[in-house]
Amino acid sequence: MPETVYISRAKMRQMRLAQQIAAHGVAPLPAWPIWVLLYGFPIVWAMGLGQFMPTILAFVMIVLMLMRRSIISLGPQWMWGALIVWCMLCVLALDSSSQFLGWALRFINIFNVGIYSLYYMNARERISVNSLLGGLFTVWATVIVLGFVGMIIPEARLTTPMSFLLPGSLTRNELVKDYVLPPMAEVQLPWGAPEPYIRPSAPFPYANSWGLAYTFLTPIVFAILARAKKWSTRIVLGLLIPVSLVPAIATSNRGMFIGLGVSILYVIVRQAFRGSWAGAIAGIVVLGSAIFFLWVSGAAAQIMGRQEYSDSTGGRAALYEATWNATLKSPFIGYGTSKMNNAIGVSMGTQGYLWALMFCFGLVGLALFLVFIVSSVISTWNVMSTAGLWLQSLPVVAISVFVFYSFDIMQLSALILSITALLRSKVYGEGL
C-alpha cells in the first residue's frame, strides 16, 4: 500500500499561497532595499542616516509590495502585526503633543522591522538565505571593526554629512548629537575607580547597544560557519570569532555574555536531544573554552571589577520596581512613552526592552511581544540543521536579555530577520 503522508492545514495553505504566486507570474521583489539596510549599514552609519534610512527603506518596501499585490504572511508575522496595531492605539495614552516624538521613536522601530520581515518573506526569488546571512555578517563585521576603533581613539566623534544639514538647535540635543556626530566609545569614570573605563560603542551611541548587537549577531556568524562548505571560509570565521572577543570584553557587558551563553546552551541541548552528539560536544568545547579564556585572561575580573564602582544593579532594581508600580495604574495601554521618575532620576520605560514595552504599551503590548517570540519558536521547532538551531536560539536569547537591554532598530532587525529566515525556510525548504 502507498505510504500516507500527513500535511497540516497550515502547511497546505502555505503551499497553495506559494503555488498561486508562481502561477500568476508575479514580478519578484527587488533585493536592493534589504541590501541597503544590511550591506549598506556601514555607509549609512558614516553618513549619519542611521535613524532616517531604516524608515525610508520600510516605506519603499511597502510601495514595492503594494505594486506586487500577492503577499504571503505566516502566523508569527500576524502576531507582530497585532503588536503594531496595539502600539498605534497606545498613542491615546499620551498626555500632550510634546510626548508624541517619544512614542514615535519606539513605534517606528516596531513598525519598520515588521515591514522588513514581510518583505523578506516575499522576496525569495531575489534574496537567498545565504545572501541575507551575508548582509547580517556585514553588520557584525562593522560592529567589530568599529569596536577596535573605539578602543584606539575613544574620545573621537565622527563628523557625518547629516550633521551639516541639521540645524544647531537639533544637534545640541544629546541624543540627536550621538546619531549625527556618533562617538566611538563611552568613557566612564565611576567614583572611586582608579582609571576610566573605555567601552566601545560605535556604530551605536551606547556600549550596551554594542553589546546587544554582538549578542544577536554572533550566533548568526556561528550559523554561517555551520553552513560554510569551503575550508577557507571556516578558517577565516574561526579566527575572526575569537578576535571579536577583544572589543566585546572591553564593553564590560555582563548581559552580553549571559545572552551568548544562553545561545550556546540552547544549541547544545537541542543537538543532544536530536542525538547529534558530535554537535553537542563541539558546543560544550566552545562554551568551555570561552569560559576558560574569560577566566584566565582576567576579562571576568575586569567586568566584575567595574561593578565595584558602579551600582548599576541596585539602581536598576529601584527603577524596575517603580516602573512596575506605575504600569499597574495603566495596565492596558500604558503611557505611550517613557516618563521621568524624579525620585530615582531616570525615566521609567527605559533600561530594558521588557520595561519599555510594559510601560509604554501596557501589559497587552508586552504579552503580544512574548506571544510572537513563543510562536516563532514553536512554528520553527522542527528545524533540522545546526545553522537553523543557531538562528532559532535568537528568540530565546531575546527573552534572556530584554530585561536589561533596550532593542534598537538594527538589533531588532537581526532578531526578526533571523526568525523570518526560519519561517520562510519552513515554507520553501531552503535548508535551515
Side-chain angles (χ1 to χ4, degrees):
M1 294 180 63
E3 182 181 358
T4 300
V5 179
Y6 173 75
I7 301 178
S8 67
R9 290 183 179 179
K11 185 67 175 178
M12 290 179 65
R13 177 176 176 271
Q14 295 159 14
M15 291 170 64
R16 285 198 299 268
L17 285 170
Q19 290 168 358
Q20 289 171 9
I21 287 180
H24 293 162
V26 179
L29 293 170
W32 68 263
I34 293 290
W35 291 170
V36 173
L37 177 73
L38 301 178
Y39 288 99
F41 174 71
I43 298 174
V44 169
W45 171 79
M47 294 180 67
L49 295 172
Q51 290 299 300
F52 306 97
M53 187 59 71
T55 302
I56 294 172
L57 291 172
F59 279 96
V60 168
M61 292 179 196
I62 291 173
V63 172
L64 292 171
M65 286 190 290
L66 288 174
M67 293 171 62
R68 189 184 198 228
R69 292 179 294 180
S70 296
I71 297 297
I72 290 177
S73 60
L74 300 184
Q77 291 177 304
W78 282 97
M79 293 309 307
W80 195 265
L83 175 61
I84 291 173
V85 172
W86 185 258
C87 291
M88 292 174 66
L89 292 175
C90 291
V91 74
L92 299 174
L94 300 178
D95 295 332
S96 63
S97 58
S98 61
Q99 296 179 344
F100 181 81
L101 180 59
W103 169 85
L105 288 174
R106 291 170 175 82
F107 167 75
I108 200 66
N109 287 343
I110 293 173
F111 176 81
N112 286 348
V113 297
I115 299 302
Y116 302 159
S117 173
L118 197 60
Y119 192 88
Y120 173 68
M121 174 64 74
N122 290 274
R124 181 174 65 95
E125 300 88 348
R126 297 288 175 81
I127 309 177
S128 67
V129 173
N130 283 343
S131 57
L132 176 76
L133 295 179
L136 291 167
F137 174 80
T138 301
V139 179
W140 181 83
T142 303
V143 169
I144 302 309
V145 170
L146 291 177
F148 277 104
V149 173
M151 295 177 66
I152 298 169
I153 48 173
E155 302 284 357
R157 282 181 179 267
L158 178 68
T159 302
T160 69
M162 196 64 189
S163 65
F164 295 106
L165 299 177
L166 294 180
S169 57
L170 280 178
T171 56
R172 282 192 291 271
N173 178 281
E174 285 299 318
L175 181 60
V176 175
K177 180 181 179 181
D178 285 340
Y179 283 121
V180 300
L181 294 167
M184 295 296 106
E186 283 190 83
V187 181
Q188 300 173 342
L189 183 61
W191 187 87
E195 58 185 16
Y197 285 92
I198 297 173
R199 307 179 65 201
S201 60
F204 309 104
Y206 311 111
N208 282 351
S209 299
W210 194 103
L212 180 61
Y214 186 80
T215 303
F216 280 154
L217 291 167
T218 301
I220 295 172
V221 178
F222 279 119
I224 296 171
L225 180 60
R227 287 175 63 87
K229 296 180 179 179
K230 295 181 179 179
W231 275 104
S232 57
T233 303
R234 296 178 184 178
I235 292 172
V236 170
L237 292 178
L239 293 173
L240 287 178
I241 291 172
V243 168
S244 72
L245 287 173
V246 176
I249 291 170
T251 64
S252 299
N253 275 308
R254 294 167 293 175
M256 175 183 65
F257 289 108
I258 291 173
L260 288 174
V262 167
S263 177
I264 296 172
L265 282 173
Y266 180 83
V267 174
I268 290 173
V269 171
R270 288 297 309 276
Q271 292 272 38
F273 274 99
R274 286 192 334 187
S276 178
W277 295 108
I281 292 171
I284 293 172
V285 170
V286 170
L287 181 61
S289 300
I291 294 173
F292 179 75
F293 173 78
L294 292 174
W295 182 264
V296 301
S297 67
Q302 173 187 333
I303 294 171
M304 297 309 298
R306 188 174 70 89
Q307 310 312 312
E308 297 179 9
Y309 307 106
S310 174
D311 185 25
S312 60
T313 303
R316 282 175 178 259
L319 177 64
Y320 296 160
E321 182 180 3
T323 302
W324 170 250
N325 292 332
T327 300
L328 293 180
K329 298 177 182 178
S330 181
F332 294 107
I333 62 173
Y335 296 90
T337 187
S338 59
K339 289 189 176 183
M340 176 63 68
N341 184 300
N342 294 322
I344 301 175
V346 181
S347 293
M348 295 178 289
T350 61
Q351 309 300 313
Y353 204 56
L354 182 155
W355 312 100
L357 289 168
M358 186 177 71
F359 187 83
C360 299
F361 308 122
L363 295 176
V364 176
L366 174 61
L368 288 172
F369 178 82
L370 292 175
V371 170
F372 166 78
I373 292 294
V374 172
S375 64
S376 297
V377 175
I378 293 174
S379 297
T380 61
W381 184 255
N382 292 327
V383 60
M384 298 302 296
S385 68
T386 301
L389 288 178
W390 281 113
L391 297 183
Q392 196 188 55
S393 73
L394 291 184
V396 181
V397 170
I399 295 300
S400 70
V401 301
F402 85 143
V403 176
F404 34 81
Y405 277 145
S406 296
F407 294 7
D408 207 341
I409 183 64
M410 193 48 65
Q411 292 86 343
L412 270 177
S413 295
L415 171 64
I416 302 303
L417 286 173
S418 296
I419 291 173
T420 309
L422 291 172
L423 293 172
R424 202 180 81 171
S425 180
K426 178 182 176 182
V427 177
Y428 297 111
E430 294 176 305
L432 286 178

